[in-house]
Amino acid sequence: MNAFVIFPSATMKTERAFESNLKSVESSSSDESHIMKDTSRLSHAMLKVPSVDRTAAYWTEKMGSIIMSRSREDGTLQSAFVALGNGETTDKCFALELVETSSESFKLGNSLSYIGVSMLLQFQDNLLGALTGEKPEGQGDEPNGILVRSSASAPGDYFCRFCLKSRNLVETNDFYTSVLGMDAKAVDADMLCLRYDATAGMKGVPTTIVFERSDDELDRGKCFDHLVITTSLDINEQYKRIKETHESAIYMIPTEMFGKTVMGIRDPNQYKIILASE
C-alpha cells in the first residue's frame, strides 16, 4: 500500500470537522491491485479559448510542440494539441487540447487553479543555475488569464502539474483512487496530489493532477472542459464496473468517437472525465 507524505501547511485549519476530513484522507490509500493502476495514463485536458493561435504560441515559445492541429483555409488554428514533452519526446506525455470558442462565450471561472511547468524545462540549458538555486523566471502572461507556475519536479513531463480546486478533498481522493486507480502521492490540509506512475513508455515522472481545497463555490466557467484518461482496458467493461458502484457519475455511455471508444463520468466536483481506449 502507498503511504501518504504529509507536508506541513501554514494555512492548516483547526476546526474539528476539517480535522476529521484530513484524518480520513490520511488513512486512505490506493488499491495496489486496481485494474486501472498500471493500464492507464492522464492524456490531456481540453481548454476552450478565444484564440488557439495566441494560446499555442505562448506554449511553443516555452519550447512546446503542436503535435496535432486543425486549421482554416487562411491558416488560423481552430484546434491544436500542445505538449511540452520530457526532453526527448512528446509521446505519451500530457497535452493541452486547445479548442476555439467565441470571446463572448469564454469565461475562465475559478476552478482551474494553475498549470505547473517544471523548473527543469527552464534550467535544461543552465544546469549551474539549477544547482545554485537560481530563481526561475516568471512564466509570463498566459493569453487567457490562466495562472502558469514554475514548479519543482523530478525529471519527467515538463507539464508537471495540472491543478484544480475542490470543495471536498476526501470525496475527491476516494473517487480518483477507488474508481480510477490513481495513486495519491501527497496530501496536506489544503492539497491532494494524484497520478498514474506506471505510464508505459514514459520517461521519468508523469503529470500530477493536484486538487487544492477551496471554501468558495466553484465556478467552472467555460474554459476548462474535461480531462482525458486513456487506457488499454476495454471501455465497455469499465462502464460495467463503474456503473455497479458509481452509476450516477456516468454522463456518457460507451460511444465510438474519433476511432476510439470513449465514455464520460463526472467526479465529486462535477469535473468531466473522458475514459478513452488507447
Side-chain angles (χ1 to χ4, degrees), residues 3-13 18 22 25-26 114 152-153 161 169 184-195 208 210-211:
F4 285 100
V5 178
I6 309 301
F7 297 113
S9 170
T11 59
M12 185 173 290
K13 303 290 186 178
F18 186 70
L22 178 59
V25 175
E26 291 172 349
Y114 69 89
S153 69
R161 298 180 187 176
L169 294 182
K185 309 305 293 187
V187 63
D188 70 9
D190 300 306
M191 179 189 69
L192 174 66
C193 301
L194 306 115
R195 67 171 175 259
T208 299
V210 179
F211 288 95

Side-chain angles (χ1 to χ4, degrees), residues 80-209:
F81 282 81
V82 179
L84 294 181
N86 57 25
E88 292 187 2
T89 181
T90 57
D91 187 41
K92 307 292 186 183
C93 290
F94 184 76
L96 298 177
E97 180 186 5
L98 309 174
V99 177
E100 186 180 57
T101 189
S102 67
S103 298
E104 294 77 16
S105 297
F106 178 78
K107 181 184 178 184
L108 182 58
N110 66 6
S111 61
L112 175 53
S113 181
Y114 69 89
I115 297 173
V117 175
S118 173
M119 292 181 185
L120 297 177
L121 176 61
Q122 183 168 327
F123 287 124
Q124 64 176 347
D125 297 321
N126 182 17
L127 182 58
L128 179 60
L131 293 174
T132 58
E134 183 177 314
K135 186 177 180 180
E137 297 176 1
Q139 292 294 332
D141 294 328
E142 196 275 343
N144 309 290
I146 297 170
L147 177 61
V148 179
R149 288 182 179 173
S150 295
S151 302
S153 69
D157 201 320
Y158 290 141
F159 268 134
C160 61
R161 298 180 187 176
F162 190 82
C163 184
L164 299 168
K165 293 183 180 179
S166 171
R167 295 269 295 171
N168 191 315
L169 294 182
V170 176
E171 291 181 358
T172 300
N173 173 73
D174 179 68
F175 184 87
Y176 281 84
T177 56
S178 67
V179 178
L180 297 175
M182 283 188 169
D183 283 331
K185 309 305 293 187
V187 63
D188 70 9
D190 300 306
M191 179 189 69
L192 174 66
C193 301
L194 306 115
R195 67 171 175 259
Y196 292 113
D197 267 333
T199 299
M202 172 68 190
K203 174 192 173 185
V205 177
T207 302
T208 299
I209 181 168

Side-chain angles (χ1 to χ4, degrees), residues 71-85:
S71 302
R72 297 184 181 86
E73 290 185 2
D74 64 4
T76 57
L77 293 170
Q78 292 177 292
S79 64
F81 282 81
V82 179
L84 294 181

